[in-house]
Amino acid sequence: MRFDDFDLNHQLLDSLVSIGYEEATPIQELAIPIVLDGKDLIACAQTGTGKTAAFLIPVIETIMNEGNHKAGTKVLVIVPTRELASQIDQNMEALGYFTGVSSVAVYGGSNSKQWDVQKNAIDNGVDMIIATPGRFKMHYKLGYMDLSGVHTVVLDEADKMLDMGFYPDIVEIISYLPKDKRQTLMFSATMPSKIRSLAKEIMQNKPEEISLALSKPAEGVDQRAYVVYDKQKKDLLRHLLQDEEVDSMIIFASSKLSVDQIAATLQKMGFDARPIHSDREQSERQETLNDFKNKQFPIVVATDVLSRGIDIDNLSHVLNFDVPMDAEDYVHRIGRTARASATGTAMTFINPDDMYRFGKIEELIEAEVPKQKIPEELGETPVYSPTGRGGNRGGGRRGGAGGNRRSDGHRGGGGGDRRRGGGDGDRRSGGSGGRSRGGGGDSRRGGGRPEGRGGSDRGGNARGSGGRRGTGQGRPISGDTQTPRPPANTDNNPQEKVEGQAPGKNRRRKRRRPQKPRQEGGQD
């Protein structure tokens, strides 16, 4: 369906034509008529399908149809992150270029000039406010914000806002708005139950619902996975960057510390990579993002702050250095590439502890992601075992058949250095042998050999009937500073009474707690 089929204002159509918008995407085709009719809406569609324009276009049209006789803010858009607020504001500038509809992005930061710009726009009755919850509430509580004319409120990336704990903030902000004839629009990439709970609380009418291709990656994404140990990740990353034709890449990591470390490592390797996360100054983040969009450097390393709603043209690669905690976040991350029917490559590193979660991702997207071989010089790799929450050619988190890694198998036979037993493995769970704290290996309940070679399922260097207190002999786990205790019922058993000696004479003395060294110069 073409945009001129919507009977939009000709100034708005001119703006759409100027930026190359001709055909509406499926979410736009379904959502625009509903919004123009003034109905409440819950819309769920995968990232990169044009959700932002799906609400901006009809909202601009509605504002234009009101004319200039109504001064003051008319539309409030609430978003989870500063980057998304800034991007939607930029989209508004493009979509509303010939319309005269005004907007301002309201988000936090230490720049006082930015605050003044936001305050002045609000004082002057800007048509649309695009805001993060915290900064919006700060402006409102200072008393100069007039919301009496707001007739439409949009929650963009609603599921992400709820994940970030903004539920009470959203409810509070909604309470500031007029109740009469208020239109509420919720756009999301997923549809958890709490979205419906929020909708019931803030929507006055039963909403229309749209759900398109829930949590499925775009068809143009070439997905690849590499099953590796953590120590192999950086060398593999170097190999991929040298082997792939990377025009622009986002590397997602699980923590801010990892982001900084990966960026520093890549810079030492000679790659131009820069970090971006919420601990960085907003001006630095914005400058980094703008330079990346303008192809000033090829690689940005980021947390999930860039996984939602950030529109970057012609992104060639996305790499998950760590598997995301939530399966839906995988879709958001790889949705940064292959946007608007383009193509791109999404690669994911899977360590043994991440196998179970990646299996859940494959269940969600209803597809098996091809597992790629890594160069032989990087060494042996784990065996992919998604049902076992890990893998290393056997062994297991809760069982398996051996292995020398902290994850293989799931709940099967022997395996690993897990705290419930193990086979010939180095995972903390299993059935017989292994370095285990529960039944086998270095177990706290049995005898046998500590390293899982021939130990019983209650064996090992254990604190039960063998091992440390049992009949088995063996060396302790590496890093275990406690010496194995002698077995029970022997001559040097501290519990046995020695003839001719006073009771308690041969008892083990309690160790004194080491005294904290006296610090000179007072406490820090």
Side-chain angles (χ1 to χ4, degrees), residues 73-143:
T73 301
K74 304 170 184 66
V75 176
L76 171 62
V77 181
I78 308 174
V79 297
T81 66
R82 307 170 185 178
E83 284 75 17
L84 185 54
S86 177
Q87 179 172 291
I88 294 175
D89 188 42
Q90 293 171 14
N91 289 341
M92 264 299 300
E93 291 181 10
L95 293 171
Y97 189 79
F98 297 109
T99 66
V101 176
S102 60
S103 66
V104 64
V106 173
Y107 52 83
S110 57
N111 191 333
S112 60
K113 292 182 179 179
Q114 186 182 73
W115 173 277
D116 292 338
V117 169
Q118 296 170 6
K119 181 179 181 300
N120 290 337
I122 294 169
D123 282 339
N124 293 328
V126 65
D127 292 317
M128 182 185 300
I129 296 175
I130 304 154
T132 54
R135 181 51 61 98
F136 179 85
K137 288 168 61 179
M138 289 179 65
H139 280 287
Y140 179 81
K141 291 178 180 180
L142 290 175

Side-chain angles (χ1 to χ4, degrees), residues 67 92 110 130 175 193 217 236 262 265 279 307 413 481 496 508 522:
M92 264 299 300
S110 57
I130 304 154
S175 70
S193 58
L236 177 58
I262 294 167
T265 298
D279 281 354
S307 69
T481 58
E496 275 202 348
R508 182 184 296 273

Side-chain angles (χ1 to χ4, degrees), residues 214-391:
L214 181 60
S215 292
K216 301 294 188 300
E219 293 181 1
V221 180
D222 176 18
Q223 299 180 70
R224 308 173 191 172
Y226 299 83
V227 184
V228 293
Y229 297 122
D230 283 337
K231 64 183 180 181
Q232 297 171 316
K233 286 184 176 181
K234 291 180 180 178
D235 289 332
L236 177 58
L237 179 57
R238 182 208 302 265
H239 170 79
L240 292 174
L241 290 174
Q242 292 172 343
D243 193 54
E244 294 277 330
E245 294 183 3
V246 176
D247 178 59
S248 55
M249 171 186 279
I250 298 178
I251 299 174
F252 286 107
S254 58
S255 69
K256 302 167 190 176
L257 178 61
S258 294
V259 166
D260 289 332
Q261 291 174 340
I262 294 167
T265 298
L266 289 175
Q267 290 167 5
K268 290 179 181 178
M269 292 178 182
F271 298 103
D272 191 357
R274 302 180 197 176
I276 183 170
H277 54 70
S278 59
D279 281 354
R280 300 261 168 179
E281 289 290 336
Q282 177 60 26
S283 58
E284 181 185 358
R285 291 161 60 182
Q286 194 62 52
E287 181 181 0
T288 299
L289 186 57
N290 290 339
D291 287 348
F292 183 67
K293 288 181 176 182
N294 294 326
K295 310 296 183 183
Q296 299 298 309
F297 66 97
I299 304 169
V300 65
V301 189
T303 55
D304 281 323
V305 72
L306 287 187
S307 69
R308 293 292 193 108
I310 305 302
D311 189 10
I312 300 173
D313 294 333
N314 303 319
L315 183 63
S316 64
H317 289 75
V318 168
L319 188 143
N320 294 309
F321 197 84
D322 304 300
V323 174
M325 295 299 295
D326 296 322
E328 290 85 357
D329 286 339
Y330 174 82
V331 180
H332 303 315
R333 286 184 179 187
I334 71 172
R336 300 304 92 213
T337 187
R339 294 172 70 87
S341 301
T343 59
T345 302
M347 299 177 285
T348 302
F349 292 169
I350 310 170
N351 71 13
D353 289 335
D354 289 338
M355 293 182 185
Y356 179 78
R357 284 204 303 272
F358 198 77
K360 292 297 182 183
I361 289 171
E362 291 180 315
E363 290 180 14
L364 179 68
I365 65 176
E366 298 178 352
E368 182 177 347
V369 179
K371 312 304 181 296
Q372 309 295 316
K373 292 183 179 180
I374 72 170
E376 293 184 1
E377 60 266 24
L378 297 184
E380 291 189 358
T381 60
V383 172
Y384 183 61
S385 178
T387 58
R389 303 193 181 190

